Amino acid sequence: MSIFNKNSSISLDIGAGGGASWEFFKDLRKILSFTGKWTNTGDDGAVFKMPDGKSLVMTTDAFIIDPIFFPGGDIGKISMCGTINDLSVMGATPLGIALSVVVEEGFPSSDLEKILHSIDEISRLTKTPIVTGDTKVTNKGKIDKIAITTTGIGMAEKIISNNGTKPGDKIIASGDLGEHGAIILAYRFNYKTRLKSDSQPVLKEMQAVGKYLNAAKDPTRGGLAENLNEIAEKSKIKIVLDEKDLPYKKETRAISELLGINLMALPSEGRFIAAVPEKFAQKTIKILQKYNKTAKIIGSVERGKGVFLNTQSGGLRPIEMPRGKLVPRIC
Amino acid sequence: MSIFNKNSSISLDIGAGGGASWEFFKDLRKILSFTGKWTNTGDDGAVFKMPDGKSLVMTTDAFIIDPIFFPGGDIGKISMCGTINDLSVMGATPLGIALSVVVEEGFPSSDLEKILHSIDEISRLTKTPIVTGDTKVTNKGKIDKIAITTTGIGMAEKIISNNGTKPGDKIIASGDLGEHGAIILAYRFNYKTRLKSDSQPVLKEMQAVGKYLNAAKDPTRGGLAENLNEIAEKSKIKIVLDEKDLPYKKETRAISELLGINLMALPSEGRFIAAVPEKFAQKTIKILQKYNKTAKIIGSVERGKGVFLNTQSGGLRPIEMPRGKLVPRIC
């Protein structure tokens, strides 16, 4: 049932990734149905075919996170990584980013300066210029510190979509997952950890292995559980992970257990997962391990539907699309 | 002095248009100095030359206005008009818009539905598809209702810049100005008015007269006073307006006087001003009057510098770049 058909209000789960976000997105697309000549590939970015055959990709991300500074990064860094990674996993090279900032009156100038330096660092590292921007200041108390929207465009020779997975493919992760989500939750619950956010651009890794991949996705909101369910549904295939290969560090698992948060829904901001034909799987992992030693094969693709975990106690357990009250403002 | 050089905090005037916004922008560009292959024309949008000689234009606008519904529009409508107009005045045809929404938990679904329908209406009217988006929901009280960022890209055969004005040109306005600012202020101060916001796309008007123009700008934040000062400074010319030709309705003037707000700093969201060679001035106005009867010539361009008002009592009075405590969250 559409959220617009009832006398209702906006709930947190709509913006948290997972099932409710998807349903909201469908409602929204019923209203905003004019998409012109753009191709909807079902990925995070939209695709416009250029006269020369290349694809222009456009994507946008809003960040209103808490805390805005955290071990391993800040709101500036993840705003940049989020958008650059959405372009990267589609096989696009970023052309430029538009930066929108809404900030509260009285926000410390030195904090804004730090955030801008983080943005500049990722801009230079990935050769992605900040080409235009807008800054608005609200009265005190009308926004919690700062919100940033990054919108990126990029150009791709060939789009990597999340619907190209085939039976026989291997599922790979570019590194251990969920650390960004884990450290933000740890902060919220006053839990001390030595983990750092995994936020970083995946552009170079994606460019190194893109040609081998049938599908790719970055596990941000909704984490691995959402990514795999999306890939399985769109590619009409079944994914089976092995419990012993789940790509999570001990500390990440500990935080998830302690706080009762679904491990596989924890977001990363500097990883991707991909489907790769079996014959290229070892080669792909070898290349990825040059960037991150924890890159590995985590599962395989079969005919069928759904996402399952092959548990160490034996037997298949379904991995479902995350649902319900997720913690907001993590990424 | 840079705001980053002192132990300071962000003030409202940085986001309100006018002098402080310009100084902040310069500080920001010292940090975000990597602009790659993009051309900085000094306009609202950035320009990227395509291999076929056309120009790709990108621009972004953040809206966190109060009220979100007002006579003649809502936050959805002005978000769309703001970005489409920034593309239009540069001579670009919009290709697509990315929509980012940050909304407060508990926001009425029916209000969001109305806002989305406003967005859709402008999208269809201007044939500008919403190609991608992101929605985040914050806990109650962490944002005042809703913030929207619209980022647009467009393609131009030839860029119309704000630095092409020449001595001898006429300055024209596409219609009476300041109504959007006037009605928002009237609402804030509980003053009843029959005025409506002027928010609307200027795409068609701009396409009809673009070939005659030497420069164009939309007088949003900072209004006519900021637009003219920007054009005069960038084109290194002097602009003289005639007081009797100032393009403001009686009601707009009354609100400005009553509230002690600078008339010429009141923003419009559906108008543009332009510099046009004298030989095309009458023709341009005739075309524009098909869209809006109040379109007219408001001044002329001379050698020299600065912006002046030829007052009815005789004598030239300088029109300065707006400064100081402007009212925030108008557009």
Side-chain angles (χ1 to χ4, degrees):
Chain A
M1 186 171 173
S2 160
I3 68 149
F4 298 129
N5 285 337
K6 43 189 179 181
N7 190 7
S8 66
S9 67
I10 302 302
S11 57
L12 285 172
D13 53 357
I14 282 173
S21 292
W22 279 99
E23 282 156 27
F24 172 71
F25 178 71
K26 283 178 194 161
D27 286 349
L28 185 139
R29 266 297 176 210
K30 276 180 208 153
I31 298 176
L32 304 177
S33 58
F34 175 60
T35 52
K37 289 180 187 166
W38 290 69
T39 315
N40 177 12
T41 62
D43 295 282
D44 275 352
V47 175
F48 187 86
K49 272 273 175 202
M50 301 299 289
D52 64 0
K54 289 185 189 165
S55 294
L56 180 69
V57 183
M58 186 176 198
T59 186
T60 192
D61 293 280
F63 294 87
I64 180 160
I65 59 169
D66 176 34
I68 56 173
F69 293 98
F70 47 79
D74 59 37
I75 187 171
K77 185 178 182 187
I78 78 161
S79 298
M80 289 293 286
C81 293
T83 291
I84 288 168
N85 292 349
D86 281 345
L87 295 173
S88 303
V89 296
M90 289 181 70
T93 302
L95 258 186
I97 279 185
L99 177 70
S100 141
V101 178
V102 179
V103 58
E104 183 182 34
E105 182 187 11
F107 187 80
S109 301
S110 55
D111 282 355
L112 185 56
E113 192 181 6
K114 273 183 222 159
I115 291 166
L116 291 172
H117 278 293
S118 294
I119 290 172
D120 181 58
E121 195 185 317
I122 305 297
S123 165
R124 286 173 198 276
L125 186 65
T126 58
K127 296 189 175 59
T128 307
I130 307 297
V131 301
T132 187
D134 190 20
T135 305
K136 294 281 163 71
V137 184
T138 70
N139 314 73
K140 194 137 184 83
K142 297 299 182 185
I143 191 168
D144 187 19
K145 299 185 188 79
I146 187 169
I148 293 181
T149 292
T150 40
T151 307
I153 55 174
M155 204 62 86
E157 299 277 346
K158 185 181 157 282
I159 293 292
I160 300 168
S161 186
N162 57 23
N163 61 17
T165 313
K166 288 176 183 60
D169 283 358
K170 292 295 177 189
I171 299 292
I172 61 170
S174 73
D176 282 342
L177 303 180
E179 281 144 60
H180 179 72
I183 64 116
I184 297 285
L185 288 169
Y187 169 91
R188 298 267 188 89
F189 291 93
N190 264 316
Y191 176 83
K192 286 214 185 338
T193 169
R194 280 178 308 175
L195 283 179
K196 283 187 178 180
S197 168
D198 48 30
S199 63
Q200 62 152 23
V202 298
L203 179 62
K204 282 179 191 158
E205 292 95 306
M206 270 300 304
Q207 285 179 334
V209 301
K211 60 183 166 189
Y212 302 122
L213 309 184
N214 279 341
K217 246 331 249 171
D218 51 333
T220 56
R221 275 184 293 177
L224 180 62
E226 174 169 334
N227 267 202
L228 294 178
N229 274 284
E230 200 182 329
I231 290 178
E233 196 187 313
K234 288 188 178 155
S235 302
K236 296 187 173 57
I237 46 83
K238 174 181 174 181
I239 295 174
V240 180
L241 302 190
D242 244 324
E243 191 170 20
K244 67 170 173 29
D245 295 327
L246 280 181
Y248 296 95
K249 287 197 169 52
K250 250 189 201 168
E251 299 93 310
T252 311
R253 292 168 193 260
I255 290 171
S256 142
E257 263 177 47
L258 196 80
L259 305 177
I261 305 271
N262 180 358
L263 179 68
M264 280 187 261
L266 285 177
S268 304
E269 286 290 341
R271 302 287 180 265
F272 63 88
I273 63 153
V276 53
E278 189 168 12
K279 61 178 170 181
F280 299 130
Q282 289 305 334
K283 190 175 193 172
T284 301
I285 290 296
K286 225 172 179 174
I287 297 171
L288 287 177
Q289 284 177 344
K290 285 183 207 161
Y291 299 92
N292 187 327
K293 281 180 191 163
T294 61
K296 66 177 175 187
I297 295 173
I298 61 170
S300 47
V301 179
E302 305 174 4
R303 286 181 204 283
K305 58 191 275 190
V307 183
F308 298 90
L309 187 67
N310 201 350
T311 62
Q312 285 177 280
S313 55
L316 286 185
R317 201 180 77 204
I319 298 173
E320 281 167 2
M321 182 70 111
R323 280 217 146 263
K325 286 232 176 281
L326 304 173
V327 183
R329 304 183 62 191
I330 291 185
C331 64
Chain B
M1 186 173 171
S2 161
I3 68 151
F4 298 129
N5 285 337
K6 43 189 179 183
N7 191 8
S8 66
S9 66
I10 301 302
S11 57
L12 285 172
D13 54 356
I14 282 174
S21 292
W22 279 98
E23 281 156 28
F24 172 71
F25 178 70
K26 283 178 196 163
D27 285 349
L28 184 139
R29 267 298 177 210
K30 276 180 208 151
I31 298 177
L32 304 178
S33 59
F34 175 60
T35 53
K37 290 180 186 166
W38 290 68
T39 314
N40 178 11
T41 62
D43 295 283
D44 273 355
V47 175
F48 186 87
K49 274 274 175 200
M50 301 298 291
D52 63 2
K54 288 186 188 165
S55 293
L56 180 69
V57 184
M58 186 175 198
T59 186
T60 191
D61 293 281
F63 294 87
I64 179 159
I65 59 169
D66 176 35
I68 55 172
F69 294 97
F70 47 79
D74 60 37
I75 188 172
K77 186 178 182 186
I78 78 162
S79 299
M80 288 294 285
C81 292
T83 292
I84 288 168
N85 292 350
D86 281 345
L87 295 172
S88 303
V89 297
M90 290 181 70
T93 301
L95 259 186
I97 279 186
L99 177 69
S100 139
V101 178
V102 179
V103 57
E104 183 183 35
E105 182 186 11
F107 188 81
S109 301
S110 55
D111 282 355
L112 185 56
E113 192 181 6
K114 273 184 221 157
I115 291 165
L116 292 173
H117 277 294
S118 294
I119 290 172
D120 181 58
E121 195 185 316
I122 305 299
S123 164
R124 287 173 197 275
L125 186 65
T126 58
K127 296 191 173 59
T128 306
I130 307 297
V131 300
T132 186
D134 191 19
T135 306
K136 294 279 163 72
V137 183
T138 70
N139 314 73
K140 194 137 185 82
K142 297 300 181 186
I143 190 168
D144 187 19
K145 299 185 187 79
I146 187 168
I148 293 181
T149 292
T150 41
T151 307
I153 55 173
M155 205 62 87
E157 299 277 347
K158 183 179 158 287
I159 293 291
I160 300 168
S161 187
N162 56 22
N163 61 16
T165 313
K166 288 175 183 60
D169 284 357
K170 293 296 177 189
I171 300 291
I172 60 170
S174 73
D176 281 343
L177 303 181
E179 282 146 59
H180 178 73
I183 65 117
I184 298 284
L185 288 169
Y187 168 91
R188 297 265 189 90
F189 291 94
N190 263 315
Y191 176 83
K192 284 213 185 341
T193 170
R194 281 178 308 176
L195 283 180
K196 282 186 177 178
S197 168
D198 49 30
S199 63
Q200 62 153 19
V202 299
L203 179 62
K204 282 180 190 157
E205 292 95 307
M206 270 301 304
Q207 285 179 334
V209 301
K211 60 185 165 187
Y212 302 121
L213 309 183
N214 278 342
K217 235 350 238 167
D218 50 335
T220 57
R221 277 184 291 179
L224 181 62
E226 173 169 334
N227 267 202
L228 295 178
N229 274 285
E230 198 182 331
I231 290 178
E233 196 187 315
K234 288 188 179 155
S235 302
K236 296 186 172 58
I237 46 82
K238 173 182 174 181
I239 295 174
V240 181
L241 302 189
D242 243 324
E243 191 170 19
K244 68 170 172 28
D245 296 326
L246 280 181
Y248 296 94
K249 288 196 169 52
K250 252 189 200 169
E251 299 93 310
T252 311
R253 292 168 193 261
I255 291 170
S256 142
E257 263 178 48
L258 195 81
L259 305 176
I261 305 272
N262 180 1
L263 180 68
M264 281 186 261
L266 285 177
S268 304
E269 286 290 341
R271 302 287 180 265
F272 63 88
I273 63 153
V276 53
E278 189 167 13
K279 60 178 172 182
F280 299 131
Q282 289 304 334
K283 190 176 194 171
T284 301
I285 291 296
K286 227 174 179 173
I287 297 171
L288 287 178
Q289 284 178 343
K290 287 184 205 160
Y291 299 93
N292 188 328
K293 281 180 191 162
T294 62
K296 67 177 174 188
I297 295 172
I298 61 171
S300 46
V301 179
E302 306 173 4
R303 285 180 204 285
K305 58 190 275 190
V307 183
F308 298 89
L309 187 68
N310 201 351
T311 63
Q312 287 177 278
S313 55
L316 287 184
R317 202 181 75 204
I319 298 173
E320 281 167 0
M321 181 69 112
R323 278 218 149 261
K325 286 232 176 283
L326 305 172
V327 184
R329 304 184 63 190
I330 291 185
C331 63

